[in-house]
Amino acid sequence: MAFSEVAPFAKTGGLADVGGSLPSALGQLGCDVRVVMPFYNRFIEKVEEVKLLLENLPVPFGSHSLAADVYHLSLNNGVVVYFIQRDEFFDRSHLYGTPKGDYFDNFQRFTYFSRAVLALCPGLQFKPNVIHAHDWQSGLVPAYLRHLYGPNEYWTETASVFTIHNIAYQGQFSSGLYPLTGLPSRFFSMEGMEFWGGINFMKAAIVSADAITTVSPRYSEEIQTSEYGQGLEGVLQENRGKLHGILNGVDYDRWNPETDPYIATNYSRQDLGGKRVCKLDLLQEAQLPESLVDRPLLGAISRLADQKGFDLLAAVSDELVDQDIGLVILGVGEDRYHRLLTDLAERHPEKVSVQLKFDERLAHKIEAGADIFLMPSRYEPCGLNQIYSLRYGTVPIVRATGGLYDTIKPFSPATGEGVGFSFDRYEADSFWHAFMEALHFFEQPETWQQIMQNGMSADFSWQSSARQYLELYEKTLAEKRRAAPRVRSEQADSRQKKKTEGRSKRTDDRRQNKVDRKPSKN
Ligand code: ADP
């Protein structure tokens, strides 16, 4: 599996959570899983436990080769992680860019990473049945496999699977960089990775991979529409036969109020007493008044990006605060949201606490201490925080899109079923309406407890999702194997044809020479 971020080593969002948990879930099903990621020196915890494995692995890059050192670590759960070290690319203060924008050389960084993944396998004499690449940063892996390495016997029985975690980030670059990929020039076409005259890593992966998945069934439908497809809807429609929606699971070893080491006290569905202690602890940590303990405490943990609905939150924030609630927001991301939220906290210091940082510990404290979790996303491929919230008895209010739609069944007072509140239209009024509905039930403690209990009993562990991935791997590999003899015989035919053509060309050339020579002779 190729990931650009893996928890706990380096993380900006849910991609890393998947990188840190899907491999071990597959391991439990009997797979031998190896994970490859860049060596971000400044992030990788336990660096001292990471051991050098290969020195100077040659990685082709443009017209030359740039050596990588490869480190590795065997995790307790049996998964092996390989780290590709090349400091000029990966020794940075952030993973992809600073709050001001992306790094100028992300094309080079992740072209190199993808190429290194393919150089590494033969380097280790490891022939995977499946290479599973994730998001645009590894998007060239399936393209290399199909268009550059595939014809090599070593790779004919390796299938490629590509997962779209977020179609809004596609890895788009100017066409002038194309030669650095080393891919054949015919692949820079409308059927290949060309997109409006430029390079598009995600498109390269979609057209090349043997199978494509995305992280929720709903999102797999949505991205085939112009509203959500970010320009790739047509390509996805054409490839829908190989597109599957598999919901992300969550790692309940890390996100479980019964065992969570970060929270003030542990609690469970059977004994919710500790949740109030966690709420008081969060109020203290967020420097909000203790008197809010009997009022609804709202939490949000998020990358601060357009996708996440902070403009909706800002639009209703004054009315929210008028309802005598507390609000704790933890996030980091784009400057303009930093400003928007700082302004909100400054206007309501007694009600709103904004923490502009990445803080795993505080994220757990918010999940445990809040009553309500806000996720009014414009779009959400899967979303993990709403699922964590369920396990912590923190009731989510979400926009019904993507994975939020698939995971948050709205509460129905008629049946007593449902785990949260949701709204359809991306409008402040709809969000407000969902909030008022939640508030209405918050004021009825018995009903509220019922909603919390419903959420706490929901099970989104990896087991079933990992099984779906395994079935997909097996099916894709079987198809690949069925095709392999045909591919091999086509290759043999084409080699034969080339030879024959070569021979007849030489014959033709000789004839031509004869013809050509004739006049000179004459
Ligand atoms: P996305 O992948 O779009 O960022 P997800 O909900 O799928 O959103 O996953 C986000 C993950 O990142 C969660 O594990 C969440 O707790 C974590 N996270 C996001 N922002 C922060 C932050 N500022 N501090 C700590 N954890 C964060």
Side-chain angles (χ1 to χ4, degrees):
M1 293 215 181
F3 278 103
S4 58
E5 53 183 276
V6 176
F9 307 112
K11 168 166 166 176
T12 67
L15 177 64
D17 288 336
V18 177
S21 51
L22 173 60
S24 78
L26 284 164
Q28 279 165 22
L29 297 178
C31 302
D32 171 7
V33 189
R34 322 279 181 100
V35 173
V36 193
M37 67 175 288
F39 193 119
Y40 306 105
N41 312 27
R42 304 189 203 174
F43 293 85
I44 292 168
E45 289 176 15
K46 304 185 191 157
V47 172
E48 68 281 6
E49 289 175 27
V50 173
K51 300 263 179 311
L52 182 64
L53 179 69
L54 292 177
E55 227 170 340
N56 288 326
L57 174 78
V59 179
F61 191 66
S63 56
H64 50 293
S65 159
L66 291 181
D69 287 344
V70 181
Y71 287 75
H72 80 139
L73 182 65
S74 294
L75 304 178
N76 295 340
N77 55 25
V79 174
V80 178
V81 186
Y82 300 111
F83 301 88
I84 304 292
Q85 187 183 44
R86 178 96 202 165
D87 286 352
E88 78 200 73
F89 292 139
F90 304 124
D91 183 15
R92 305 274 169 101
S93 64
H94 293 74
L95 301 195
Y96 313 124
T98 66
K100 306 239 173 292
D102 290 346
Y103 286 132
F104 72 97
D105 58 349
N106 277 347
F107 170 88
Q108 286 84 344
R109 299 172 76 218
F110 293 104
T111 296
Y112 183 78
F113 172 63
S114 295
R115 200 81 196 253
V117 171
L118 288 150
L120 175 64
C121 295
L124 296 169
Q125 294 174 343
F126 175 64
K127 202 183 267 196
N129 297 127
V130 174
I131 296 199
H132 187 165
H134 296 262
D135 265 355
W136 76 263
Q137 294 89 340
S138 321
L140 290 192
V141 170
Y144 282 135
L145 205 53
R146 180 170 296 269
H147 297 284
L148 204 60
Y149 292 80
N152 181 325
E153 295 259 326
Y154 190 90
W155 293 107
T156 38
E157 291 196 22
T158 299
S160 64
V161 175
F162 177 71
T163 296
I164 300 168
H165 292 258
N166 193 334
I167 199 134
Y169 302 89
Q170 298 180 0
Q172 297 193 54
F173 304 98
S174 97
S175 60
L177 293 164
Y178 189 75
L180 266 186
T181 64
L183 285 159
S185 52
R186 69 183 145 74
F187 188 57
F188 190 72
S189 63
M190 248 170 72
E191 294 70 38
M193 78 187 289
E194 185 265 337
F195 186 69
W196 295 102
I199 289 171
N200 186 316
F201 279 41
M202 189 160 273
K203 184 177 174 222
I206 293 169
V207 299
S208 305
D210 295 309
I212 314 162
T213 72
T214 185
V215 290
S216 68
R218 179 75 166 192
Y219 193 60
S220 75
E221 299 294 325
E222 288 176 347
I223 55 177
Q224 295 180 51
T225 67
S226 56
E227 189 183 348
Y228 291 96
Q230 305 274 346
L232 288 179
E233 57 275 11
V235 182
L236 285 159
Q237 283 160 21
E238 278 164 29
N239 286 280
R240 66 172 161 256
K242 60 177 183 181
L243 173 62
H244 309 263
I246 301 179
L247 194 69
N248 278 340
V250 301
D251 183 350
Y252 287 125
D253 288 340
R254 280 192 199 144
W255 295 94
N256 180 356
E258 293 181 47
T259 52
D260 194 326
Y262 293 116
I263 62 181
T265 185
N266 294 117
Y267 60 92
S268 67
R269 185 161 68 88
Q270 290 74 25
D271 178 6
L272 282 168
K275 190 155 171 77
R276 194 179 162 89
V277 179
C278 293
K279 184 169 178 181
L280 279 164
D281 175 58
L282 176 59
L283 287 169
Q284 194 179 27
E285 176 99 16
Q287 295 179 331
L288 292 177
E290 245 185 47
S291 56
L292 281 173
V293 72
D294 292 316
R295 296 302 303 153
L297 182 58
L298 280 49
I301 306 162
S302 184
R303 282 183 300 115
L304 301 180
D306 283 342
Q307 155 194 358
K308 298 292 183 178
F310 285 97
D311 45 344
L312 284 195
L313 186 59
V316 300
S317 56
D318 289 326
E319 286 93 332
L320 266 184
V321 170
D322 282 348
Q323 298 297 318
D324 197 17
I325 52 97
L327 173 60
V328 183
I329 301 177
L330 169 64
V332 65
E334 293 168 27
D335 269 349
R336 62 200 179 104
Y337 292 112
H338 287 198
R339 285 195 296 274
L340 188 94
L341 294 176
T342 307
D343 174 60
L344 180 65
E346 279 170 4
R347 278 190 289 121
H348 306 285
E350 294 285 294
K351 300 278 177 60
V352 180
S353 165
V354 170
Q355 311 282 329
L356 298 176
K357 57 183 177 179
F358 195 95
D359 185 342
E360 184 82 24
R361 191 187 61 98
L362 185 54
H364 285 251
K365 282 179 181 283
I366 293 175
E367 288 295 3
D371 298 297
I372 292 174
F373 195 85
L374 300 178
M375 225 159 150
S377 305
R378 187 183 289 276
Y379 65 89
E380 194 60 69
C382 176
L384 292 171
N385 276 120
Q386 85 280 12
I387 308 180
Y388 301 149
S389 299
L390 293 179
R391 189 44 66 100
Y392 285 79
T394 303
V395 177
I397 301 180
V398 304
R399 174 155 180 262
T401 180
L404 297 174
Y405 175 92
D406 285 333
T407 54
I408 304 304
K409 187 171 177 212
F411 175 67
S412 153
T415 63
E417 288 173 7
V419 297
F421 298 89
S422 70
F423 60 100
D424 286 326
R425 291 151 76 95
Y426 191 78
E427 286 169 0
D429 275 357
S430 309
F431 180 32
W432 179 247
H433 190 264
F435 169 71
M436 288 308 281
E437 197 188 352
L439 195 62
H440 171 74
F441 289 111
F442 182 85
E443 310 291 359
Q444 303 173 23
E446 263 179 41
T447 311
W448 191 255
Q449 262 215 16
Q450 170 76 56
I451 305 170
M452 289 166 69
Q453 299 274 0
N454 290 350
M456 292 178 93
S457 0
D459 183 5
F460 289 100
S461 54
W462 268 110
Q463 234 169 15
S464 117
S465 302
R467 206 169 288 284
Q468 290 175 56
Y469 275 113
L470 184 54
E471 279 165 19
L472 179 69
Y473 296 158
E474 282 168 345
K475 179 170 150 266
T476 311
L477 186 59
E479 279 162 13
K480 189 89 184 181
R481 283 187 171 140
R482 266 197 302 278
R486 201 184 65 229
V487 172
R488 270 200 293 271
S489 85
E490 279 169 12
Q491 282 168 2
D493 284 356
S494 121
R495 275 196 298 272
Q496 187 59 37
K497 205 166 146 216
K498 273 191 195 141
K499 265 191 210 155
T500 325
E501 277 172 7
R503 236 177 274 134
S504 51
K505 187 167 179 297
R506 280 193 296 278
T507 319
D508 282 355
D509 288 349
R510 277 198 294 273
R511 278 196 204 116
Q512 185 70 33
N513 282 345
K514 267 185 204 156
V515 174
D516 283 345
R517 253 180 268 137
K518 254 184 196 162
S520 62
K521 262 187 178 174
N522 288 335

